[in-house]
Amino acid sequence: MEFAWSKEDAAFRTELVDYLDAELTGDWSRSDGTGLGSAVYTEFSKSFVRKLATKGWLTPHWPQEYGGSGQSAWQHFVLGEEMWKRGEPRGPQYMNVNWVGPAIIKYGTEEQKQSLLPPIARGEVFWCQGFSEPEAGTDLASLKTRAVRDGDEYVLNGQKIWTSYANAADYCFLLARTGPPGSRGDGISVFLLPMDTPGVEVRRIDCLVGEHSFNEVFLTDVRLPHSALLGEENNGWNIVRRTLAYERVGAPRYARAALVLDGLAEWAGSRGLLDDPGVQEQFGEARTLCEAARVLVYRVIDERAKQKEPSPLAYQARAAMVQAERAVGDLALDVMGSEALVEGSLGDAQFRNSLGAGIAAGSYEVQLNLISRLILGMPKD
């Protein structure tokens, strides 16, 4: 098996790193623990992604007819790794380009493709995802938000929660029940919701992860045209299952965790702590988990590069990334002690990130259940 990068991909990484070294200075820093959705970083991201778009680096893996350049899945992932190492300066755009856009490309009408994809490719819009609900988080198929057909429109009522970037998003990739109550996955549809639609209300959720990281979204008699439906009515669950496979590896958190680990090693070494065999063992274990997550994610990207349908390997890779990020967060607390809780410190930033690692893109426990059933062949009950 060949693990080396191709000359083209290696050259692209070098060019990208040089560009980011020059571009991400001054106003950009994600070492201070500020959370996802911060107004400061959202404004920075809006400017930054437009620059990426002009270089063809925002949606390089998309087909050319939709604003891409037809580059390989590997080059797109090189982008993801280098962006996450630096705290993801693209903001919510990683969702747009990783799975929202590709979902529209695969399931959307020609009208939807022509109207929604170019603004994403130009870096002009942000999206959020309206999945989780107060009583439907880990059991997403039990969601209660309703979409009732009324002539050529749908009327939506319900609530979403833990919605990252809803405060800044232009659109929401929204799940709603169009089938009868109790229809589970068979009665779910996907809607492409403009966030400025009357009846949409966003409320901030204060939390430990960081400033304005999460939001609640309330839908009250929201009217959407039939053209806002993605794919067929009641077929949303199939779309989501495919989409989530891309989302689960769309954020290579292990890359950031590994970089933080290097910083922690430098901090510990300067204080003579690395002479302790126990500390050495902790660092070795954390490094191993980061590398294991990287290899498992690469297996998923290899499937994508070969244009295979998403497989259960994505669940395995996602679980490994959670383990890696948590290990580095725990290590920061163990090695730095109380200093790791000082706001703005390297340890504080990693600890905050690790808090949400096991929830975002599906809870860690759900990933383990899926692995047990779909990879290990164990019974559901």
Side-chain angles (χ1 to χ4, degrees):
M1 183 176 293
E2 178 58 64
F3 285 99
W5 292 92
S6 69
K7 291 182 179 180
E8 293 79 10
D9 293 342
F12 173 67
R13 188 187 293 271
T14 298
E15 182 183 3
L16 176 62
V17 168
D18 289 344
Y19 174 80
L20 295 177
D21 285 343
E23 191 68 33
L24 298 181
T25 58
D27 293 337
W28 179 254
S29 171
R30 286 304 291 269
S31 64
D32 60 2
T34 304
L36 296 173
S38 165
V40 174
Y41 295 130
T42 298
E43 289 306 311
F44 180 93
S45 296
K46 287 181 179 179
S47 172
F48 179 71
V49 295
R50 289 190 176 97
K51 295 178 182 179
L52 286 181
T54 61
K55 294 182 69 65
W57 288 354
L58 189 57
T59 56
H61 60 305
W62 286 16
Q64 292 182 347
E65 59 266 34
Y66 300 122
S69 54
Q71 291 184 4
S72 71
W74 288 110
Q75 286 199 10
H76 170 58
F77 209 72
V78 167
L79 266 171
E81 284 190 330
E82 295 302 329
M83 295 296 173
W84 273 86
K85 284 179 183 178
R86 297 162 189 262
E88 191 45 88
R90 294 174 299 180
Q93 282 286 4
Y94 77 89
M95 291 191 292
N96 300 10
V97 303
N98 281 343
W99 59 268
V100 173
I104 295 173
I105 290 172
K106 184 171 180 62
Y107 297 103
T109 64
E110 194 58 35
E111 177 184 357
Q112 289 171 336
K113 294 175 185 177
Q114 294 301 325
S115 63
L116 298 174
L117 294 176
I120 295 177
R122 293 193 297 264
E124 296 174 352
V125 295
F126 284 166
W127 285 68
C128 63
Q129 65 177 49
F131 288 7
S132 296
E133 298 183 2
E135 298 181 10
T138 56
D139 183 17
L140 191 57
S142 66
L143 64 85
K144 295 181 179 179
T145 294
R146 294 284 304 169
V148 178
R149 186 73 180 264
D150 182 18
D152 291 333
E153 294 182 318
Y154 288 91
V155 181
L156 281 69
N157 285 278
Q159 177 187 357
K160 300 296 178 178
I161 198 167
W162 310 122
T163 309
S164 300
Y165 296 108
N167 58 302
D170 302 287
Y171 292 91
C172 181
F173 193 95
L174 182 82
L175 300 187
R177 187 165 302 284
T178 45
S183 54
R184 302 288 293 175
D186 294 334
I188 292 176
S189 298
V190 175
F191 292 90
L192 308 175
L193 168 69
M195 290 296 286
D196 60 359
T197 304
V200 177
E201 179 187 0
V202 178
R203 299 181 189 173
R204 169 178 173 169
I205 299 176
D206 292 319
C207 58
L208 291 173
V209 177
E211 177 194 352
H212 213 148
S213 295
F214 301 112
N215 307 270
E216 293 177 283
V217 179
F218 294 86
L219 308 167
T220 305
D221 294 331
V222 174
R223 304 189 75 90
L224 287 178
H226 183 268
S227 59
L229 176 70
L230 180 65
E232 298 177 0
E233 186 176 291
N234 295 329
N235 192 43
W237 192 246
N238 291 328
I239 297 174
V240 169
R241 288 179 63 185
R242 186 177 191 277
T243 296
L244 287 178
Y246 288 121
E247 184 199 16
R248 287 182 173 120
V249 298
R253 294 172 175 270
Y254 63 84
R256 178 68 174 174
L259 193 65
V260 171
L261 189 61
D262 290 340
L264 291 173
E266 183 177 347
W267 185 93
S270 66
R271 290 159 177 79
L273 298 178
L274 287 181
D275 296 333
D276 185 327
V279 173
Q280 293 176 11
E281 183 176 351
Q282 281 186 282
F283 270 96
E285 180 179 353
R287 176 64 67 186
T288 299
L289 289 171
C290 289
E291 287 301 297
R294 181 175 66 88
V295 172
L296 290 172
V297 168
Y298 283 5
R299 293 175 67 189
V300 179
I301 303 306
D302 185 59
E303 289 183 334
R304 191 180 305 180
K306 294 174 179 175
Q307 298 184 340
K308 296 180 179 180
E309 284 298 302
S311 78
L313 291 177
Y315 308 129
Q316 194 177 39
R318 176 63 191 165
M321 283 197 285
V322 173
Q323 291 179 339
E325 195 155 36
R326 285 178 172 175
V328 177
D330 291 345
L331 177 62
L333 289 176
D334 290 343
V335 172
M336 299 183 71
S338 60
E339 191 169 337
L341 299 178
V342 175
E343 186 174 3
S345 70
L346 187 64
D348 176 60
Q350 181 60 31
F351 180 66
R352 289 179 186 237
N353 287 336
S354 68
L355 287 175
I359 300 174
S363 76
Y364 177 65
E365 291 74 18
V366 167
Q367 309 306 310
L368 294 182
N369 285 337
L370 290 167
I371 291 168
S372 68
R373 289 183 5 236
L374 301 179
I375 296 180
L376 300 178
M378 298 174 66
K380 184 173 183 179
D381 296 320

